[in-house]
Amino acid sequence: MLITRLHLRNFRVYEQDLDLELPPGLVGIHGPNGSGKSTLLEAILFALWGKSRTSRELIRTAGVAADGVCAIEFEHEGHLYTVRRTVKGVNSSSAVEVTCDGAVMATATRDAQAYVESILGLDVDAFRASVFAEQNQLAAFSAQRPEERRRLVMALLGITPLDEARDAARRDARECSADHDRLRAMLPELEALEVEASDSDAAASAAEVAATEEVGAAAAARGRLEDAERELLAFDLLRQRHERVVVEGRAVRERLERARSQVAGLVETLAGLDDASARLKVLEEQSSGLDEDSRRLDLLVEAARAARAADASPAPDPPGDFDATASSDASKAAESVASELAAATAYEEAARESLRVALAAQQRAESISDNSTCPTCGQVLGESFDAVRAHHRREVDSTSALLEARGGRVVGLREEAARTRKLADKLRREEAAHSERVATFNAALRKAEEAHAERLGAWLAVGAGSDMTLSEGLRDTPNDTPNDTLSDTLSDRPGASLPSTSAVDAMVLSLRERIDVKRGAHAEALGLRGMFATRATSEAALDAARSEMDEAASLLDGLREQARALRYRPEDLESASGKRNSAAKVSQRSEENAHAAGLRAARLRERADGAATRLADAKAQHDKLGDLEKRARHLARTAELLARFRDTVVASVGPRLATQAAALFGELTDNEYEGVQVDPDTFQLQILDGGQLYGLDRFSGSEVDLANLALRVAISEHVNFQSGGAVGLLVLDEVFGPLDDDRKTRMLLALERLRGRFRQILIVTHDTEIKEQLPSAVEVVKLPGRRATARLVDV
């Protein structure tokens, strides 16, 4: 088996499409811990067998609802196989497809598993035991306790199922013996069961005869119903034919009426063409100048819009003046008072601290006597004792007076600071409001100037775009321009003023009325010209309409004759419907009676069958006692044979593993040692050196590693031998973790020699130095958001 390609999408940490090509020989899979190296190995098992370490709901990439895909492509015995599994939907359902040389071989889960097993000659447990050497598994052969090592080897070699089968046979033998004893105590009486079965059968037979009679009556009623339905169907078909004739007659009548109307209209049209020539001349004179008036109307409409915009933007009132100097002076005064307040507060704190010191000194003076020493000079106070106390009292009084004075100063300055700050804040707000009013005034002024400039431009365009002169368009009415700045725009035309908005609107209304009249005349003239151009066509249409009218009249007479020939009467249909409804009610009652009789017969027959079944079961239970006794003896014998077979297999495993491991160990060490033996009970490895067996603790770490590897490969080959398969694939997961540099080098050389036994060896490691010593390497790269990707790199 040679894995050539691995394709993943939304599988564990591999969210994006991963199409990984795997070469033959030694292939290293390296990357940091937790990056997703072992996930690639899990993908092999999942693709081939659908096995995973978690439930299907957790296989797809976290947070991604799209389909998860895991596919493997491999060569085996000259054929190219592909196994593709998909996890999709909210229920994480699984789909599989297996192909061989491009042809689909299996699409169901069971079929796919059976086909893969037939290809490789291994089931999933044997494949995993022969192919995968997982983390710490090699070191476990020598480091584990004997019973743990024995359990591991038994599981890898598939002997554990023999133990389970032996135990299951023993358990089944005990249960069968217990069933025999229970059944012997529960045997029923056969005579009472025979009487019950006979009576129940007689009652069921009588009920079945009655049910048959009711079924016959229901069949007769159903026949009468079918006759009534056929009669009703015949009358209904006649009704449908009559209605189709009526509908067709209505359509032909409408066709005849349309033809008559068309003939009358065409006759009237042709008669009126002679009087239309004079009318056409009048209409052409009335519609002259329509284009010029329309262009002038557009200009006037724009001028009216500009006038309304100018009226809506009058010049604003000036905002007034503001004394900025007063605001600045108030701010400076507030800052000056705040500085004085800070200094007075500091002086007050200094006086408070002095008072605290004086009070402390006075308290110490009050606590001493005339025999105490002076805290300053160290001499006995004696007669100076009262003077010291008086001095401290005076110091406290003077400090208290100073603190009171400075506190009063702080209170006054705080009030002054609050007043000046309030005044400064008020003036600053007024200054900001004045600045806002000035900005609003300037913006409104600019808007008014722009609107009136646009008004002047629009009116000038009216004068330039028409035959009228500017003096004809301007009026001598007073100008409603709001200020001198706007009126300066007319300074180059002395004596001229713009027309008011109402005047412009009146001009627009008058011109629109004139244009509407011209447009009506123009449209009527176009219609008359079209009539003159279609005279010949109208005459031909008149002849065709008269022919259509004659044809429609003939068809209508024929349809009237068909309706009379059908002789359809609604009362005949109503009578047939009544007969059918009566027959349906009788048939329904008969069906219900037959159904009830059938249910009763079925219940009685079910009761009779139950009695017969109980009788047969009782007879079978009487016969089963002997069978249970025989089966109990057979299961006990089976358990004994399984135990012997298991012991025989276990006894043969040790020598065979020793032979295979010794041959491989010799290849890996250039036959430096005489061989390797495997203890048949504990599966402990022993190396034969100089004709004597030694435990692994006598040798260096590299020899121990090679011996463990030889035993693991021997186990793989033994599993292949037992199952009859030949996979040719070996997967080693983190076998380099505990090795030093020298042991890693020797292990790599050993793996290189194993290439002759395996077409492909996949080595998973987080040691980046290992990849430099392998012919091929796959690098697993961590991505943000707990994602990863992998690529084949050149080494």
Side-chain angles (χ1 to χ4, degrees):
M1 178 181 181
L2 173 63
I3 299 177
T4 57
R5 191 176 302 276
L6 192 63
H7 177 72
L8 304 177
R9 185 176 71 247
N10 289 336
F11 184 84
R12 303 292 191 198
V13 296
Y14 296 96
E15 177 183 0
Q16 303 300 325
D17 273 314
L18 173 62
D19 195 12
L20 184 62
E21 183 177 355
L22 297 176
L26 285 174
V27 181
I29 301 176
H30 74 94
N33 287 332
S35 59
K37 303 185 296 299
S38 297
T39 301
L40 295 179
L41 304 185
E42 182 187 5
I44 297 174
L45 284 177
F46 181 74
L48 290 174
W49 311 101
K51 301 294 183 181
S52 66
R53 56 184 172 83
T54 64
S55 62
R56 285 202 309 267
E57 289 77 7
L58 302 178
I59 288 177
R60 287 184 285 185
T61 304
V64 180
D67 294 351
V69 178
C70 179
I72 186 173
E73 178 188 271
F74 62 93
E75 296 178 4
H76 187 64
E77 297 181 347
H79 297 282
L80 182 64
Y81 298 92
T82 301
V83 184
R84 178 186 179 92
R85 294 186 186 270
T86 305
V87 179
K88 56 187 177 181
V90 295
N91 296 326
S92 297
S93 59
S94 178
V96 61
E97 181 183 82
V98 184
T99 65
C100 175
D101 297 330
V104 177
M105 307 305 294
T107 55
T109 301
R110 293 182 180 272
D111 296 342
Q113 180 176 345
Y115 185 72
V116 171
E117 290 181 2
S118 68
I119 294 171
L120 302 179
L122 302 171
D123 60 14
V124 60
D125 295 329
F127 179 84
R128 186 163 192 160
S130 64
V131 170
F132 283 84
E134 301 175 359
Q135 296 185 15
N136 302 323
Q137 196 180 80
L138 293 183
F141 291 132
S142 58
Q144 286 184 336
R145 294 194 301 272
E147 62 272 14
E148 294 175 347
R149 182 168 54 253
R150 179 183 180 86
R151 187 161 51 250
L152 174 61
V153 175
M154 290 294 184
L156 289 174
L157 293 175
I159 296 175
T160 301
L162 287 178
D163 294 337
E164 295 173 352
R166 176 200 61 199
D167 296 340
R170 291 173 177 172
R171 184 172 56 255
D172 291 343
R174 291 192 299 269
E175 292 176 356
C176 186
S177 179
D179 291 342
H180 175 270
D181 295 339
R182 284 194 299 271
L183 183 60
R184 176 178 293 174
M186 296 170 57
L187 290 177
E189 295 293 335
L190 294 179
E191 184 177 353
L193 292 176
E194 289 174 349
V195 172
E196 181 187 4
S198 176
D199 294 344
S200 298
D201 183 70
S205 299
E208 289 171 350
V209 171
T212 302
E213 294 175 354
E214 291 293 340
V215 169
R222 191 162 50 250
R224 291 190 295 273
L225 174 62
E226 292 173 355
D227 293 340
E229 287 180 341
R230 281 193 293 271
E231 182 180 4
L232 175 61
L233 178 62
F235 279 111
D236 189 64
L237 291 175
L238 183 63
R239 175 191 61 77
Q240 295 176 18
R241 292 176 58 189
H242 181 268
E243 289 181 353
R244 284 196 296 270
V245 171
V246 171
V247 170
E248 187 176 357
R250 290 173 181 170
V252 172
R253 181 183 296 277
E254 292 177 358
R255 177 180 169 188
L256 176 61
E257 294 299 328
R258 285 196 302 271
R260 287 174 178 172
S261 176
Q262 187 176 7
V263 167
L266 290 171
V267 169
E268 183 179 357
T269 299
L270 291 174
L273 287 178
D274 297 334
D275 301 330
S277 298
R279 176 63 178 167
L280 179 60
K281 292 180 181 180
V282 174
L283 293 174
E284 288 176 345
E285 291 178 358
Q286 289 179 353
S287 63
S288 63
L290 176 60
D291 293 339
E292 177 62 25
D293 287 348
S294 297
R295 185 175 60 83
R296 185 183 178 197
L297 177 61
D298 292 339
L299 296 174
L300 279 174
V301 168
E302 178 61 23
R305 184 199 64 76
R308 283 190 293 274
D311 292 344
S313 302
D317 296 329
D321 297 329
F322 179 78
D323 187 4
T325 303
S327 176
S328 175
D329 293 343
S331 297
K332 292 178 181 179
E335 293 173 358
S336 176
V337 173
S339 298
E340 292 181 15
L341 176 60
T345 302
Y347 288 139
E348 182 187 22
E349 289 298 324
R352 185 175 285 106
E353 178 63 20
S354 297
L355 178 59
R356 185 187 65 77
V357 172
L359 288 172
Q362 182 185 16
Q363 185 176 6
R364 288 195 301 271
E366 295 292 337
S367 63
I368 63 179
S369 64
D370 53 358
N371 294 324
S372 302
T373 59
C374 178
T376 303
C377 63
Q379 296 179 358
V380 178
L381 293 175
E383 296 178 354
S384 300
F385 171 68
D386 293 333
V388 170
R389 284 187 171 182
H391 169 74
H392 285 297
R393 292 192 191 99
R394 287 193 301 273
E395 187 174 356
V396 168
D397 293 339
S398 62
T399 306
S400 298
L402 178 61
L403 177 61
E404 183 178 359
R406 289 181 176 179
R409 173 66 174 166
V410 168
V411 171
L413 287 174
R414 282 177 178 168
E415 294 176 354
E416 179 65 16
R419 185 187 64 78
T420 56
R421 185 170 57 251
K422 181 177 180 180
L423 177 60
D425 291 342
K426 176 183 177 183
L427 292 176
R428 276 196 298 271
R429 289 194 296 270
E430 291 178 356
E431 183 178 7
H434 179 264
S435 299
E436 185 177 353
R437 289 194 297 272
V438 169
T440 303
F441 169 77
N442 292 331
L445 185 60
R446 284 194 299 272
K447 182 177 179 182
E449 291 175 349
E450 292 171 357
H452 285 276
E454 184 179 3
R455 178 180 188 178
L456 175 61
W459 186 248
L460 292 176
V462 171
S466 64
D467 295 337
M468 63 177 281
T469 63
L470 181 62
S471 60
E472 292 173 342
L474 298 175
R475 300 190 177 181
D476 293 334
T477 57
N479 191 357
D480 53 2
T481 305
N483 56 59
D484 295 338
T485 303
L486 301 177
S487 63
D488 290 342
T489 57
L490 298 177
S491 59
D492 57 340
R493 297 182 180 273
S497 62
L498 294 176
S500 64
T501 302
S502 59
V504 176
D505 289 339
M507 294 172 64
V508 169
L509 180 61
S510 175
L511 186 56
R512 277 180 176 166
E513 293 174 352
R514 187 167 65 186
I515 288 174
D516 289 342
V517 173
K518 289 186 177 184
R519 284 177 177 170
H522 179 70
E524 187 177 353
L526 287 177
L528 292 178
R529 292 191 191 97
M531 290 173 58
F532 287 123
T534 59
R535 174 187 288 274
T537 304
S538 299
E539 292 175 349
L542 178 61
D543 294 338
R546 286 171 175 167
S547 298
E548 174 72 10
M549 185 173 64
D550 296 339
E551 182 181 355
S554 176
L555 287 174
L556 185 60
D557 292 339
L559 290 173
R560 287 171 178 166
E561 184 62 29
Q562 289 182 27
R564 286 191 294 270
L566 289 176
R567 297 181 180 179
Y568 167 73
R569 296 191 310 165
E571 54 270 21
D572 293 340
L573 177 62
E574 183 177 356
S575 175
S577 177
K579 291 179 181 179
R580 184 264 176 198
N581 292 337
S582 299
K585 292 179 180 179
V586 172
S587 177
Q588 182 178 1
R589 285 194 299 271
S590 298
E591 292 288 349
E592 292 173 352
N593 293 336
H595 180 67
L599 290 178
R600 182 175 182 278
R603 285 195 300 271
L604 292 175
R605 176 54 61 190
E606 182 179 2
R607 188 179 303 167
D609 292 341
T613 300
R614 288 191 293 276
L615 177 60
D617 290 343
K619 292 179 178 180
Q621 288 173 359
H622 278 273
D623 298 335
K624 189 177 179 181
L625 280 177
D627 295 339
L628 282 176
E629 186 176 3
K630 294 178 182 178
R631 186 167 183 270
R633 289 197 301 268
H634 173 72
L635 288 172
R637 180 59 177 166
T638 301
E640 180 182 357
L641 293 176
L642 284 173
R644 292 180 182 177
F645 177 69
R646 180 259 182 200
D647 294 340
T648 302
V649 171
V650 171
S652 65
V653 165
R656 185 176 292 114
L657 287 181
T659 301
Q660 293 172 328
L664 179 57
F665 186 68
E667 293 181 20
L668 299 179
T669 60
D670 292 329
N671 294 312
E672 182 178 354
Y673 303 98
E674 297 173 32
V676 174
Q677 289 190 6
V678 181
D679 187 280
D681 293 325
T682 65
F683 293 96
Q684 174 67 48
L685 286 170
Q686 294 176 313
I687 297 178
L688 185 60
D689 186 14
Q692 187 173 355
L693 288 173
Y694 296 97
L696 294 182
D697 53 358
R698 181 178 183 273
F699 300 93
S700 65
S702 58
E703 279 82 1
V704 173
D705 296 334
L706 295 178
N708 286 331
L709 178 61
L711 177 58
R712 184 62 184 84
V713 174
I715 291 174
S716 298
E717 292 181 341
H718 186 75
V719 172
N720 288 335
F721 169 76
Q722 286 181 325
S723 62
V727 179
L729 172 67
L730 182 62
V731 178
L732 303 176
D733 190 0
E734 294 291 0
V735 297
F736 295 98
L739 306 183
D740 56 25
D741 293 340
D742 179 64
R743 294 169 67 187
K744 289 179 182 177
T745 302
R746 296 197 64 180
M747 181 64 76
L748 285 171
L749 292 175
L751 293 176
E752 184 65 29
R753 291 177 179 179
L754 287 177
R755 293 178 62 179
R757 295 174 178 244
F758 298 93
R759 295 185 66 188
Q760 192 175 52
I761 301 176
L762 303 180
I763 305 169
V764 176
T765 179
H766 65 274
D767 192 343
T768 57
E769 296 179 359
I770 298 297
K771 72 168 186 176
E772 305 297 336
Q773 305 178 51
L774 295 174
S776 302
V778 172
E779 181 182 13
V780 178
V781 181
K782 266 189 173 183
L783 300 177
R786 290 183 295 178
R787 302 292 192 267
T789 186
R791 59 176 179 268
L792 185 66
V793 296
D794 298 329
V795 296

